[in-house]
Amino acid sequence: MDFSDLSTKELWLQMQDDLYDGQKDDVVAEVREALSRGFSPGDVLARGLVAGMDIVGADFRDGILFVPEVLMAANAMKAGMELLRPLLTETGAERIGKMVIGTVKGDIHDIGKNLVAMMMEGAGFEVINLGINNDADKFLGAVREHQPDIVGMSALLTTTMPYMKVVIQALKDEGLRESVFVMVGGAPVTETFAHQVGADAYGRDAATAVEIARGHMSARRQQTSSRLV
């Protein structure tokens, strides 16, 4: 796996293609090659991994790719991120935003939630993944500790969906609701339900969730800029 003969443009395209195909070892080798050429960790993240996951997300949304293929791509991205994460921390590279995500109390399903988490990280977010079966206190503690921009909740059972409202009410009761953008998702969840429980947005699938999260952060940056002018 020697990519030293590739031009810079070819290297980025090859990294994107290999990520798309879930070629984990090749992606790691390409990340190393890009770093050895003097590119910053932020450049490698944006031009290689994020660009590749953007294509994956678009094809997933359009029905060209399916969950198993997207999980393979996300795992390849994760392998590349393991190299970049400590370097990004050292250089203080700016992330798009921060997200806390978890499956709600009583629900132990996490494939969809993990897919969203991986694709969010691939899009440049710092993601705190709380795992499964999280009660309101776990979400509240994570919001206090990490001060995220976004809170994501997932449920796969109709019996656990109503707990999302419990978490949102707890955020209100503790004065934390206005500080976070709440997104909900999962197979039985609908846009109507999201509005009923007081969420800000409904992520129909992982790709849509990333688009919504990016749109929210972009709008927030514009609001901040306009206030500073």
Side-chain angles (χ1 to χ4, degrees):
M1 291 183 293
D2 182 6
F3 300 100
S4 58
D5 291 340
L6 297 180
S7 70
T8 297
K9 183 179 179 181
E10 288 170 337
L11 180 62
W12 297 134
L13 291 174
Q14 190 65 52
M15 194 185 301
Q16 293 164 24
D17 286 347
D18 286 337
L19 189 149
Y20 188 96
D21 293 334
Q23 300 297 317
K24 185 164 63 172
D25 293 342
D26 286 347
V27 168
V28 169
E30 287 148 5
V31 167
R32 290 189 196 279
E33 175 64 27
L35 291 171
S36 75
R37 296 187 187 189
F39 289 102
S40 71
D43 271 342
V44 181
L45 175 65
R47 298 167 74 177
L49 301 184
V50 172
M53 284 304 288
D54 281 347
I55 300 166
V56 170
D59 282 1
F60 179 51
R61 183 193 60 222
D62 295 340
I64 297 167
L65 289 181
F66 299 96
V67 169
E69 296 153 314
V70 176
L71 284 172
M72 285 178 64
N75 280 323
M77 184 276 300
K78 191 175 180 183
M81 277 301 298
E82 283 172 9
L83 274 179
L84 292 179
R85 191 176 290 110
L87 301 173
L88 288 163
T89 303
E90 281 174 24
T91 57
E94 188 179 349
R95 306 301 296 270
I96 288 179
K98 189 185 291 189
M99 180 184 201
V100 163
I101 189 170
T103 306
V104 296
K105 183 180 177 181
D107 207 313
I108 58 170
H109 298 88
D110 67 351
I111 290 178
K113 181 262 300 170
N114 287 345
L115 182 56
V116 172
M118 283 192 260
M119 288 188 66
M120 286 288 186
E121 190 165 17
F125 283 86
E126 179 184 347
V127 178
I128 297 92
N129 190 339
L130 302 179
I132 59 172
N133 194 27
N134 292 287
D135 61 16
D137 285 342
K138 188 80 178 287
F139 279 103
L140 290 174
V143 170
R144 289 194 185 98
E145 179 182 353
H146 300 287
Q147 299 183 344
D149 304 290
I150 300 170
V151 170
M153 288 186 281
S154 172
L156 196 69
L157 304 173
T158 54
T159 51
T160 58
M161 281 166 55
Y163 197 78
M164 292 175 172
K165 187 172 185 178
V166 175
V167 176
I168 291 170
Q169 186 59 51
L171 289 168
K172 288 179 182 175
D173 293 344
E174 295 298 313
L176 298 170
R177 178 66 184 90
E178 295 305 313
S179 68
V180 291
F181 184 77
V182 177
M183 298 177 62
V184 296
V189 179
T190 63
E191 189 137 17
T192 300
F193 176 81
H195 291 312
Q196 287 172 348
V197 298
D200 295 304
Y202 158 66
R204 177 172 51 85
D205 53 44
T208 304
V210 169
E211 287 176 8
I212 292 169
R214 276 178 161 167
H216 167 67
M217 294 310 300
S218 177
R220 229 174 89 164
R221 279 193 296 273
Q222 287 174 358
Q223 286 174 357
T224 303
S225 298
S226 63
R227 281 200 297 267
L228 294 173
V229 173

